[in-house]
Amino acid sequence: MLNAEIKQHLEHKTQPNRPNGTSCKTVKPASGCFQLDAPRDRHSTFEPQLIKKHQTILTNEMDRQILSMFSMGMSYRDIHQHIEELYGVNTPLGTIYSVFDKQFSEIKA
């Protein structure tokens, strides 16, 4: 999704600009962590909306999405594959388990 965001950003700019590689950062969801290659542009005008610059801790939004997919009948593996396809990140299954357990205990309470 970040690649789609930068592509759209570069298409709508009046000044010439182009991609300029990626920068690797460690992102921490509710539990665990993963490496993310965030795209950059030559003029540093790209501000991603999914995971902002300098953001290393994910909000509860991804947790809510995981819980929503589970409530629609998706298995843990399906959710894992879906997140990998959408965000380009390999989230360990253990992270998905713990997100669900955390959210489920809150709903139950």
Side-chain angles (χ1 to χ4, degrees):
M1 286 187 79
L2 291 174
N3 288 329
E5 280 189 44
I6 194 165
K7 182 179 177 184
Q8 183 179 15
H9 170 77
L10 295 174
E11 288 174 353
H12 291 85
K13 283 294 177 188
T14 55
Q15 294 180 330
N17 195 358
R18 62 179 191 248
N20 191 29
T22 60
S23 58
C24 183
K25 66 179 177 178
T26 302
V27 180
K28 300 170 193 160
S31 62
C33 62
F34 58 87
Q35 298 291 317
L36 177 70
D37 290 327
R40 300 179 305 190
D41 66 325
R42 178 67 64 183
H43 298 295
S44 298
T45 57
F46 174 59
E47 179 66 42
Q49 298 303 304
L50 180 63
I51 299 174
K52 307 254 189 237
K53 287 182 181 177
H54 311 292
Q55 178 183 0
T56 57
I57 299 174
L58 287 184
T59 62
N60 289 334
E61 181 61 31
M62 186 174 278
D63 292 357
R64 284 190 290 267
Q65 289 177 2
I66 289 171
L67 189 61
S68 174
M69 287 184 273
F70 191 83
S71 70
M72 288 188 271
M74 293 178 74
S75 69
Y76 291 115
R77 289 199 184 280
D78 290 342
I79 294 169
H80 168 79
Q81 290 173 340
H82 190 68
I83 289 174
E84 189 171 6
E85 288 172 11
L86 279 179
Y87 301 112
V89 295
N90 187 1
T91 307
L93 280 174
T95 299
I96 294 171
Y97 294 139
S98 59
V99 165
F100 176 75
D101 290 342
K102 175 187 162 208
Q103 295 292 328
F104 187 73
S105 62
E106 289 178 17
I107 289 171
K108 197 174 182 181

